[in-house]
Each structure stands twice: as C-alpha cells, then as structure tokens.
Amino acid sequence: KMGFDYFRNTILKTLGIDYQYEEIGPTELVELTIQSLYMDFTFLTTGGFYIHTEFQTTDKKEADLRRFHAYDAVYSNKTGKKVITYVIYSGGITNVKSELDCGLYTYRVQPIYLKNKNADEVFRKLKQKQDNGEAFTEDDYSALSLTPLMSGKMSRKDMFKEAIRLAKPNIELSAEKATAMLYTLADKFLDRAELDEIKEVMRMTRLGQMLMDG
C-alpha cells in the first residue's frame, strides 16, 4: 500500500499526471467468463473519474490498445465512471500508436516516455550527494523510484539493486516509500530468481524484514 500511495501522490506528479485523489481503485476485474484482467494502478480522482496507469516495456501496437480498451470498458461498466489511461513506456520505446479505431468512436491512451531520462545520470548525481552528506529531496526519491524504467547501461535488475542501495541508508519516510515503490515495480518486471536477489538487497530495511518474515 505504501508503494501505491507514493506512486499516486508523488511519482504521478513527477510524470505530469496531476490530479487530486480520493482512494485507490481495485486492479483485478473478474467477469462471468472467469477471465481475470489485471491492471497496474487505478486511482479515483476527486473529479469522479478514474486514472488508470500501465507500465510497458514492449510495444505490441494495436494488441496493447485492445487490451487497455478492454480493461477500461469493463472498469467503466463496473464502476459507472469514466476512465483515463496513461501508459508509461520504459527503455528504448519513444513513439507508439495511441489511438484505436473502434468504428463509431476512437479509443485513446496518453503515452509517457522515459527513454529520454537516464538512470546512470540519476545514480551519479545521488551518489555525489550521498558522498557530500547532502539529504535527498522528494524529487530525488521520485527519480530514484523510476530509474529501473529509464535508459542506462545497467540491466534492469541491477538498476533496481542500485536504486535500493542508494535509498537504503536514509531514514526519511520518503526513502521507505521509494523502496516500497521499487519493490512494487520489481515484482512486476523481474522473474522470481531476480526478485529474490532484490529481497536480499533489501534485507536490512524495515520493508525487507517484513518481506522476509512474510
């Protein structure tokens, strides 16, 4: 829950998705066909509509759009509210199809690209701050949380490790929230063996202890 809250209240604003929210929305939709549709994040805004965000490391073009459209149609039918979808693309993806011709209407998503953000640069800046004994700002923690989705020389797994190591020595609540968000993303993007490595890096954190105990 801490990772969800941090994503909603801090990271979305960093990405330019700025709304006031009332609550976290459900992310699993079960239809009578017994088909489960898993969404990444949904939040109910004070305007009475839902913000739906998806993280993508690949671009399957219309196949992705049809999947997002299915999510939103079922979600809108279930809640009786409008749904606006933002798709956050990582790695080298810079230009995707964002509209789907559905006959009498056009379905649209809003893409956000992280290609132009460089994880190596974020790590370099924050290591320098750490060496100088400077405290990280809220923007620093927000950027750190997104580094595994940015461009860079490291593998995605190593980006997760490096980001957690940089957040780990800090005692601020923001450091704990950033770590929770990093674990939430690692759980989505890494396989079981890689996730076990991430848990090991997190071992001495409070969240890491909770995961080990669980």
Side-chain angles (χ1 to χ4, degrees):
K1 185 176 184 298
M2 182 183 289
F4 273 62
D5 287 344
Y6 186 65
F7 179 73
R8 176 189 64 188
N9 298 331
T10 303
I11 294 178
L12 287 184
K13 286 185 173 60
T14 299
L15 294 172
I17 308 172
D18 193 0
Y19 297 91
Q20 295 297 313
Y21 302 99
E22 289 188 356
E23 61 185 39
I24 295 172
T27 54
E28 181 180 0
L29 306 173
V30 181
E31 291 296 278
L32 291 179
T33 55
I34 318 298
Q35 178 184 14
S36 293
L37 305 176
Y38 291 97
M39 306 163 82
D40 285 345
F41 292 96
T42 64
F43 303 105
L44 177 62
T45 69
T46 55
F49 57 90
Y50 279 95
I51 293 301
H52 165 212
T53 59
E54 289 287 327
F55 289 96
Q56 284 292 112
T57 59
T58 60
D59 175 20
K60 296 179 181 177
K61 304 185 182 342
E62 285 200 2
D64 283 336
L65 287 172
R66 293 188 188 283
R67 177 165 58 89
F68 301 148
H69 185 219
Y71 290 167
D72 293 351
V74 173
Y75 207 81
S76 180
N77 183 57
K78 181 181 178 70
T79 62
K81 299 180 184 297
K82 291 185 289 187
V83 181
I84 297 175
T85 295
Y86 291 85
V87 185
I88 302 168
Y89 289 94
S90 65
I93 300 174
T94 57
N95 187 24
V96 302
K97 182 180 175 65
S98 62
E99 297 185 354
L100 180 67
D101 183 355
C102 296
L104 291 178
Y105 67 96
T106 300
Y107 171 72
R108 297 180 178 86
V109 300
Q110 179 62 56
I112 295 175
Y113 304 109
L114 296 182
K115 163 70 175 175
N116 294 330
K117 297 181 183 294
N118 188 279
D120 299 327
E121 181 60 26
V122 175
F123 291 147
R124 185 198 63 76
K125 174 189 170 186
L126 295 186
K127 280 178 185 175
Q128 189 172 46
K129 271 195 164 186
Q130 209 167 62
D131 290 343
N132 294 339
E134 298 177 44
F136 290 177
T137 65
E138 195 68 58
D139 286 343
D140 289 336
Y141 283 118
S142 182
L144 194 61
S145 300
L146 290 171
T147 48
L149 305 179
M150 298 177 185
S151 298
K153 295 179 181 177
M154 297 182 185
S155 68
R156 181 168 283 113
K157 179 188 70 175
D158 288 338
M159 286 182 180
F160 276 113
K161 285 184 175 182
E162 185 65 18
I164 291 167
R165 288 193 188 105
L166 281 166
K168 199 172 178 178
N170 302 299
I171 60 173
E172 299 97 337
L173 181 59
S174 292
E176 194 169 330
K177 289 179 178 179
T179 302
M181 185 62 210
L182 284 162
Y183 183 79
T184 300
L185 292 176
D187 189 42
K188 173 177 173 60
F189 288 113
L190 302 183
D191 62 32
R192 185 177 296 275
E194 291 173 325
L195 194 59
D196 285 341
E197 290 185 44
I198 298 302
K199 288 180 181 178
E200 189 62 33
V201 175
M202 294 174 58
R203 180 180 288 276
M204 298 309 293
T205 66
R206 190 168 73 91
L207 177 59
Q209 287 298 316
M210 291 168 61
L211 291 170
M212 295 297 179
D213 295 342

